[in-house]
Amino acid sequence: MCNLYTNNVAHVSWNGMLSKVFTIENGVKQGGIVSPVLFCIYIDGLLRLLRESNVGCFIGNVFVGALAYADDIALILLPHHEL
């Protein structure tokens, strides 16, 4: 597992030109088989804290303050004046 996420490099291709190579230091691999699981493990603590602190949006008793799938997340917050 460590080999999948260490010493990764990339470059940007734009208009037929290539950037200098740079090191990828965070994130999960796009399309990686284990990426959704790794993201869930990483983000689980934040989602629990949001639910437990009542920050976000509830529909009835169901917490929907953060919608997350794979490596994407959308936080749903009410404007301050509606709290």
Side-chain angles (χ1 to χ4, degrees), residues 28 30-32 34-41 43 68-73:
V28 293
Q30 188 70 30
V34 297
S35 293
V37 174
L38 293 174
F39 178 75
C40 287
I41 292 168
I43 204 71
Y69 179 75
D71 61 350
D72 296 313
I73 186 168

Side-chain angles (χ1 to χ4, degrees), residues 68-80:
Y69 179 75
D71 61 350
D72 296 313
I73 186 168
L75 298 177
I76 303 170
L77 301 173
L78 295 173
H80 182 64

Side-chain angles (χ1 to χ4, degrees), residues 54-70:
N54 290 325
V55 172
C57 181
F58 284 80
I59 298 176
N61 292 330
V62 178
F63 171 72
V64 289
L67 305 174
Y69 179 75

Side-chain angles (χ1 to χ4, degrees), residues 1-9 23-29 34 38:
M1 185 65 72
C2 288
N3 288 337
L4 288 173
Y5 286 94
T6 56
N7 300 319
N8 288 306
V9 295
T23 303
I24 301 172
E25 297 178 358
N26 55 31
V28 293
K29 292 180 181 262
V34 297
L38 293 174

Side-chain angles (χ1 to χ4, degrees), residues 31-52:
I33 293 172
V34 297
S35 293
V37 174
L38 293 174
F39 178 75
C40 287
I41 292 168
Y42 177 80
I43 204 71
D44 188 59
L46 171 63
L47 297 178
R48 287 176 191 249
L49 285 172
L50 285 171
R51 184 180 61 235
E52 292 166 2

